[in-house]
């Protein structure tokens, strides 16, 4: 494959209009979203509404967590959780089939449900309590506050996506209600001078769910594959923005009109890299089937209907074995 292009070419969208009482302002943002989603499924957003102070606290807490001694991190190892919550050690996931495990460590946070919650008792996929590090007193409150803010922003984007697909603005309300979501803290060591063949911080993959909000530091390393080519496009950090990408659920829903695109991370900065993706995956019970506005006359859906829960379980099975 070719090296990354030197000039990033992902759209930058001001989403302030989605909060406007003026329908024309909301439709103007929706048109930009449609163009970006049809083009590559990746774009930057600004005027997103998440407080900069909260973002700074999340970054600081994430760096402090990954700086903890190994024993402290392993005390909240994801292996101790029945719902994939907690610490994931270095090389704990392989996102690109046939490549070495990813050169990153992580921490998973979801909606915190007690052991006696009906969804937990029923064994619903990835439903249960979070694990929290004992050594960081502000970690839990900070991450819960950020989770709520990212959830609200994801719901806003789903309204914009509905408009972009010529659907009622509240079309995705059942998907957003009682939605599943995952906040993930990631730490990437520098890429080794002589990596194993195919070794990367994060192998080429598409995301599982609907919408991903990515908070990057200034190290860079995110690359997106151009549609219909093998060129890798840099998606460098842009202050005050998120990188947003669509996941496989949106591709299924739109019959691939909107793209869930391959992306990867190679940390060539020579220093530590930290990122915080928020994966919005939706109501587990909802059936995802091709939207009527995404079928031309005589065209058939490419995908069979599937529940959000079934889809997520299969995606996790592929990457964790």
């Amino acid at each position: 494959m070719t090296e990354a292009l030197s000039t990033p070419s992902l759209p930058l969208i001001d989403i302030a209009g989605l909060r406007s009482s003026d329908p024309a302002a909301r439709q103007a943002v929706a048109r930009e979203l449609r163009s970006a989603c049809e083009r590559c499924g990746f774009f930057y957003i600004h005027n997103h509404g998440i407080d900069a102070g909260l973002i700074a606290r999340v970054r600081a807490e994430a760096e402090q967590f990954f700086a903890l001694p190994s024993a402290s991190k392993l005390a909240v190892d994801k292996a101790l959780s029945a719902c994939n919550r907690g610490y994931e050690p270095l090389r704990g996931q392989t996102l690109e089939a046939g490549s070495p495990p990813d050169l990153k460590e992580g921490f998973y946070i979801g909606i915190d449900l007690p052991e006696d919650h009906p969804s937990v008792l029923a064994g619903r996929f990835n439903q249960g309590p979070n694990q929290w590090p004992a050594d960081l007193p502000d970690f839990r409150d900070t991450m819960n506050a950020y989770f709520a803010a990212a959830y609200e922003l994801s719901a806003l984007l789903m309204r914009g996506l509905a408009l972009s697909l010529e659907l009622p603005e509240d079309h995705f309300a059942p998907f957003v209600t009682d939605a599943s979501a995952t906040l993930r803290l990631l730490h990437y060591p520098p890429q080794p001078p002589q990596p194993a063949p195919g070794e990367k911080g994060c192998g080429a993959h598409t995301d599982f769910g609907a919408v991903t909000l990515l908070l990057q530091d200034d190290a860079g390393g995110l690359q997106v594959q151009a549609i219909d080519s093998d060129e890798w496009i840099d998606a460098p950090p842009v202050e005050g923005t998120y990188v947003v990408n669509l996941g496989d659920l949106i591709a299924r829903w739109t019959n691939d009109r909107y793209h869930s695109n391959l992306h990867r991370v190679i940390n060539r900065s020579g220093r530590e890299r930290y990122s915080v993706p928020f994966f919005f995956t939706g109501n587990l019970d909802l059936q995802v089937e091709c939207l009527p506005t995404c079928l031309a006359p005589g065209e058939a859906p490419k995908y069979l209907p599937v529940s959000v829960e079934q889809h997520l379980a299969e995606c996790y099975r592929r990457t964790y074995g």
Side-chain angles (χ1 to χ4, degrees):
M1 291 187 174
T2 60
E3 288 299 308
L5 302 176
S6 59
T7 304
S9 56
L10 299 180
L12 175 61
I13 301 174
D14 183 344
I15 65 164
L18 291 180
R19 295 186 173 90
S20 172
S21 60
D22 180 3
R26 301 197 299 275
Q27 287 287 355
V29 178
R31 286 193 294 271
E32 289 192 71
L33 290 173
R34 183 182 184 95
S35 176
C37 294
E38 290 180 338
R39 176 180 166 188
C40 67
F42 264 85
F43 49 93
Y44 296 86
I45 59 169
H46 65 115
N47 284 326
H48 48 73
I50 296 184
D51 179 70
L54 176 58
I55 289 172
R57 293 196 299 277
V58 167
R59 286 173 163 159
E61 292 289 335
E63 291 188 24
Q64 289 180 63
F65 173 77
F66 290 118
L68 289 173
S70 179
S72 297
K73 292 185 286 188
L74 290 174
V76 288
D77 194 321
K78 190 163 69 71
L80 303 173
S81 167
C83 57
N84 289 302
R85 307 289 173 79
Y87 175 62
E88 181 177 75
L90 196 68
R91 298 185 172 91
Q93 185 181 40
T94 304
L95 281 169
E96 184 174 341
S99 292
D102 294 345
L103 190 61
K104 68 179 190 303
E105 57 180 339
F107 190 87
Y108 286 79
I109 301 164
I111 294 173
D112 211 351
L113 298 179
E115 295 284 3
D116 60 355
H117 188 279
S119 292
V120 182
L121 293 173
R124 301 298 300 273
F125 181 72
N126 272 6
Q127 302 299 291
N130 289 318
Q131 298 192 85
W132 301 106
D135 303 324
L136 299 175
D138 297 325
F139 186 91
R140 180 174 186 166
D141 286 348
T142 298
M143 296 307 163
N144 281 337
Y146 184 78
F147 192 104
Y151 189 110
E152 181 180 341
L153 177 55
S154 299
L156 179 70
L157 286 171
M158 291 303 299
R159 293 180 67 87
L161 289 175
L163 287 176
S164 79
L165 291 161
E166 301 177 327
L167 296 166
E169 200 167 0
D170 62 353
H171 180 84
F172 293 121
F175 177 74
V176 169
T177 302
D178 296 325
S180 178
T182 300
L183 176 61
R184 198 170 178 195
L185 315 178
L186 294 173
H187 167 232
Y188 298 83
Q191 183 80 357
Q194 296 181 315
E199 185 175 43
K200 307 173 190 72
C202 180
H205 67 285
T206 58
D207 287 351
F208 304 156
V211 172
T212 301
L213 306 175
L214 177 65
L215 179 65
Q216 303 190 76
D217 67 5
D218 60 359
L222 174 64
Q223 298 177 333
V224 179
Q225 192 172 53
I227 294 295
D228 299 327
S229 85
D230 63 354
E231 293 178 310
W232 288 95
I233 300 168
D234 284 327
V238 177
E239 185 67 28
T241 73
Y242 283 88
V243 174
V244 177
N245 66 281
L246 306 181
D248 297 340
L249 278 176
I250 297 293
R252 292 184 72 112
W253 239 333
T254 62
N255 224 31
D256 289 333
R257 293 275 198 286
Y258 283 8
H259 293 287
S260 175
N261 204 2
L262 283 170
H263 51 288
R264 68 185 187 184
V265 172
I266 304 177
N267 181 18
R268 297 194 178 100
S269 67
R271 54 192 174 87
E272 313 301 309
R273 178 185 189 266
Y274 300 89
S275 71
V276 183
F278 180 82
F279 303 98
F280 191 75
T281 47
N283 187 304
L284 295 179
D285 292 322
L286 196 81
Q287 289 286 311
V288 173
E289 54 186 303
C290 186
L291 295 164
T293 58
C294 295
L295 280 179
E299 186 180 12
K302 296 180 181 180
Y303 305 99
L304 293 173
V306 66
S307 75
V308 172
E309 185 171 24
Q310 290 168 332
H311 170 78
L312 291 177
E314 172 58 22
C315 289
Y316 269 75
R317 186 196 65 77
R318 289 200 307 266
T319 61
Y320 287 107

